[in-house]
Amino acid sequence: REQSDSALRSQMFNALIGSYFGEGILKDPEKQMMYLHLLTLNFQEFFDARPLFEDLNRRINPEQRGRLLAIARDAADRQVNLLSKPESEPIELRLCVDGGEDCANMGSFNLKGKNGAYPFAVRLQEVSDSEIKVRVSSAAENFNFKTIEFYVSYFDTPFMNNTKLVDGSRFSFVLRNLDPVRKIANIEVVAFPDEYMNLRDRPYFDEMLSRLGAKSGATGEKKN
């Protein structure tokens, strides 16, 4: 059944991506958006559609851009809902490049890890029409985390665009809205549940066995 399901999904993916790049379709943004929506609905765990969104975004008019953005937000929202737990709701941050009384240049959040809470600091560095640049660093001296900088786009999704720590903990940024004139952005920080493992991670059986062993040990079970 797994082989049959994989073969069916492979055929579906090839049909959709082939149609997206089909002769004549490349000049029809409306149909491209339809195929792009189908791709994000059916292959969200292993297909990063951001390059297709960005390419299409450059070639469409403002009205079509609004519909494209709605498709991207729908994809991100569905993934956020799947990842969110009652005990770990997404953290909202409102940041601005030029800090002021009503908007800070830097925010912070804590990520629950195996060894306690990991404190992070987030600085907004750039704001453009559809993406922002952020700098993420450690917010405590006893937390060793190498500072990273990356772009967050309207077309990112948590499953594809996330940061993974050594202990397996993950977080992702979701861009909710931005103001390129005032250089302000509202983002959500999404913490992944401990049991999360996507399709790209599944070949790493050592990690999976380690997790199973940890859970077995935590329940006090003993096997001969």
Side-chain angles (χ1 to χ4, degrees), residues 30 33 53 60-72:
E30 297 291 339
M33 281 192 280
F53 274 103
I60 55 181
N61 60 46
E63 181 181 350
Q64 293 170 327
R65 190 168 291 115
R67 293 198 294 274
L68 183 68
L69 182 58
I71 294 173

Side-chain angles (χ1 to χ4, degrees), residues 42-129:
N42 291 281
F43 302 98
Q44 62 180 358
E45 283 195 74
F46 63 87
F47 177 65
D48 189 351
R50 174 175 172 172
L52 299 184
F53 274 103
E54 291 177 336
D55 174 68
L56 191 53
N57 185 55
R58 290 189 291 266
R59 297 187 284 109
I60 55 181
N61 60 46
E63 181 181 350
Q64 293 170 327
R65 190 168 291 115
R67 293 198 294 274
L68 183 68
L69 182 58
I71 294 173
R73 283 177 169 167
D74 174 68
D77 287 343
R78 282 187 285 103
Q79 295 181 22
V80 170
N81 290 335
L82 288 172
L83 294 170
S84 299
K85 302 292 183 181
E87 65 276 10
S88 60
E89 292 292 329
I91 301 169
E92 297 182 4
L93 297 177
R94 183 172 185 268
L95 303 174
C96 54
V97 174
D98 302 315
E101 294 182 359
D102 63 336
C103 182
N105 175 256
M106 180 176 289
S108 63
F109 69 94
N110 289 330
L111 178 67
K112 182 180 178 182
K114 294 181 179 179
N115 300 317
Y118 302 143
F120 291 92
V122 186
R123 179 183 294 275
L124 181 63
Q125 295 184 302
E126 298 176 13
V127 178
S128 64
D129 290 338

Side-chain angles (χ1 to χ4, degrees), residues 27-38:
K27 298 180 180 179
D28 190 340
E30 297 291 339
K31 288 187 178 179
Q32 280 196 298
M33 281 192 280
M34 179 191 69
Y35 286 121
L36 195 51
H37 196 187
L38 287 171

Side-chain angles (χ1 to χ4, degrees), residues 136-154:
V136 182
S137 59
S138 170
E141 294 182 357
N142 60 350
F143 174 40
N144 184 20
F145 176 78
K146 183 179 180 180
T147 299
I148 55 176
E149 296 181 356
F150 54 90
Y151 288 91
V152 184
S153 166
Y154 278 135

Side-chain angles (χ1 to χ4, degrees), residues 138-193:
S138 170
E141 294 182 357
N142 60 350
F143 174 40
N144 184 20
F145 176 78
K146 183 179 180 180
T147 299
I148 55 176
E149 296 181 356
F150 54 90
Y151 288 91
V152 184
S153 166
Y154 278 135
F155 308 123
D156 286 330
T157 54
F159 286 173
M160 291 293 104
N161 310 101
N162 57 73
T163 300
K164 183 178 180 181
L165 305 185
V166 175
D167 69 352
S169 304
R170 295 176 188 258
F171 66 86
S172 178
F173 288 173
V174 177
L175 178 60
R176 287 309 180 187
N177 55 70
L178 59 79
D179 185 336
V181 177
R182 300 170 62 197
K183 298 182 179 180
I184 297 175
N186 290 285
I187 61 177
E188 281 185 351
V189 184
V190 181
F192 283 53

